Amino acid sequence: MKGGRLFFALVASFVVMVSLAYLMLFEHGWFENPGYESRPRAPERIQVAVVDDMEPISNASLSVVKLEGKVEIMQADGAWKPAKQGELLESHDKIRTGSAAKAWLEMPEFFSVVVDAGSEFEIGLLAKGVVKFLLEKGMIFAEVMDDPNRLFEIKASTTTARTKGASFQMMTNRNGNVSLGTTRGMVEVEETGKIIEVDEGYLTRIVRGKGPQDPIKIPTGMLLKVHWPEETKFSQPNLEITGQTSPGARVRINNVLVLVNAKGEFKKNIRLREGSNRIQVESYDLGGKSKTTQSPNFFLDTKPESFRIETSPEMWKKS
């Protein structure tokens, strides 16, 4: 009888030890197999706001705080009109900027957005717990305050970016390809069902329909090379400027946005004014870095050279 109790006690102890070993090895991840790499942890989804948080804000507090250059707004009447500083914006309003323009938008204690030159930006939804936007073309700079109860979401082409606190830049081109770089916090990026997290100091590029690429470090340096003409004096006003910058960067010449191809190459015809001319070229990227260079002093003189015939009184005398 005594031996039977001892046997059952040993069996019970064995069962307890096996259970503990299972919890330690599998449930807590203490098991290591040197022959295989561990599978990366899937990103934790940023939770979309609940229905109660989707209630529209009755008094829109998103306003235009600063304007530079030609900026227009389309509201419910469907007509584009000049934007005004201090103007309040509502859901479904659209804003567009000229090639030498910018617009600063702000919702106090939540977020601010800079709509860069040559961009079209639509306000999809302004609600208590979530704001949604559409970047139809161009580039924006977003500063979103940390708040776990509020979601900032922006869509460009087929890509959606979400955050509950970050500073980031987002750009889309005519082909629907998107680039996004984060300088503070974390932004979740989703396209064609693939989701990645872009942490501070990283960027991702998305070719439409192919999902976001794995994030890479934002380059610390920036390329900007301009091929200035060797000649500095001109009699014709048209001058072509060519150069190269880092792929994915934007370029402005004399504060006007110019097209940059996939290799970072650009060119622009400049019309010189009579007299002295200085041309400024600026490049800026998704990491918030910028680089500027200035031309030599180019001089334009389109006036014909003056001339006169000098005569001597002696030539009119008869020989």
Side-chain angles (χ1 to χ4, degrees):
M1 189 68 178
K2 184 177 180 180
R5 287 197 298 268
L6 180 61
F7 173 79
F8 286 115
L10 290 173
V11 170
S13 299
F14 178 79
V15 170
V16 172
M17 291 176 63
V18 170
S19 300
L20 289 173
Y22 174 84
L23 289 172
M24 293 167 62
L25 297 179
F26 295 95
E27 292 293 325
H28 296 283
W30 293 1
F31 178 78
E32 293 184 1
N33 186 340
Y36 299 91
E37 295 182 1
S38 60
R39 186 174 63 182
R41 178 181 62 85
E44 296 179 4
R45 291 294 309 274
I46 293 179
Q47 295 298 316
V48 179
V50 297
V51 176
D52 292 342
D53 293 336
M54 302 290 281
E55 180 183 343
I57 301 173
S58 56
N59 295 318
S61 55
L62 175 61
S63 61
V64 180
V65 295
K66 184 179 177 183
L67 295 169
E68 181 181 291
K70 183 180 180 181
V71 180
E72 296 176 300
I73 290 177
M74 178 190 290
Q75 294 181 313
D77 58 4
W80 289 104
K81 62 180 182 179
K84 299 177 182 178
Q85 187 169 327
E87 188 170 3
L88 292 179
L89 302 176
E90 298 179 354
S91 299
H92 311 302
D93 287 353
K94 292 185 178 182
I95 187 166
R96 68 182 180 186
T97 55
S99 58
K102 284 184 181 180
W104 284 258
L105 316 178
E106 183 179 279
M107 183 176 283
E109 299 182 359
F110 190 175
F111 69 88
S112 61
V113 170
V114 180
V115 184
D116 198 34
S119 302
E120 289 192 17
F121 184 73
E122 180 177 350
I123 301 162
L125 174 68
L126 298 176
K128 292 182 178 179
V130 58
V131 291
K132 295 186 177 184
F133 303 99
L134 172 64
L135 178 62
E136 295 184 357
K137 72 173 185 177
M139 184 176 187
I140 60 101
F141 302 81
E143 179 77 32
V144 184
M145 295 186 181
D146 297 329
D147 189 339
N149 299 316
R150 293 197 286 192
L151 176 68
F152 181 98
E153 180 177 291
I154 180 169
K155 186 173 182 179
S157 185
T158 56
T159 299
T160 301
R162 305 181 187 93
T163 186
K164 290 190 174 182
S167 300
F168 68 95
Q169 296 79 40
M170 190 175 191
M171 178 171 60
T172 183
N173 63 17
R174 63 178 66 182
N175 298 319
N177 300 331
V178 176
S179 301
L180 184 144
T182 304
T183 53
R184 178 187 63 83
M186 184 275 289
V187 179
E188 177 186 281
V189 177
E190 179 177 5
E191 206 262 355
T192 62
K194 180 180 178 181
I195 301 170
I196 63 169
E197 294 176 352
V198 184
D199 293 314
E200 179 178 326
Y202 285 81
L203 65 83
T204 183
R205 294 187 173 93
I206 304 98
V207 176
R208 181 173 181 151
K210 296 186 177 180
Q213 299 176 3
D214 291 338
I216 61 172
K217 277 276 191 181
I218 295 174
T220 56
M222 172 175 280
L223 169 68
L224 178 57
K225 184 176 182 181
V226 182
H227 309 297
W228 300 117
E230 293 183 5
E231 181 64 44
T232 58
K233 294 183 179 180
F234 304 92
S235 59
Q236 299 296 324
N238 295 322
L239 178 66
E240 184 178 76
I241 302 298
T242 63
Q244 186 173 16
T245 186
S246 303
R250 303 192 103 194
V251 170
R252 291 191 296 185
I253 298 180
N254 285 348
N255 205 37
V256 176
L257 188 70
V258 301
L259 184 65
V260 180
N261 67 18
K263 296 180 181 179
E265 300 166 335
F266 60 89
K267 65 179 179 179
K268 175 73 174 176
N269 286 318
I270 299 295
R271 190 171 181 83
L272 301 176
R273 65 177 182 273
E274 199 73 24
S276 297
N277 292 263
R278 287 279 190 176
I279 300 171
Q280 180 173 289
V281 180
E282 177 193 10
S283 179
Y284 53 102
D285 66 5
L286 291 167
K289 299 186 302 298
S290 64
K291 194 170 185 179
T292 303
T293 185
Q294 195 173 54
S295 73
N297 186 27
F298 294 138
F299 191 84
L300 174 67
D301 185 3
T302 60
K303 299 175 181 177
E305 293 185 7
S306 60
F307 66 94
R308 65 180 180 177
I309 299 175
E310 295 184 356
T311 62
S312 171
E314 299 296 326
M315 69 179 292
W316 302 110
K317 292 182 180 180
K318 293 183 179 180
S319 57

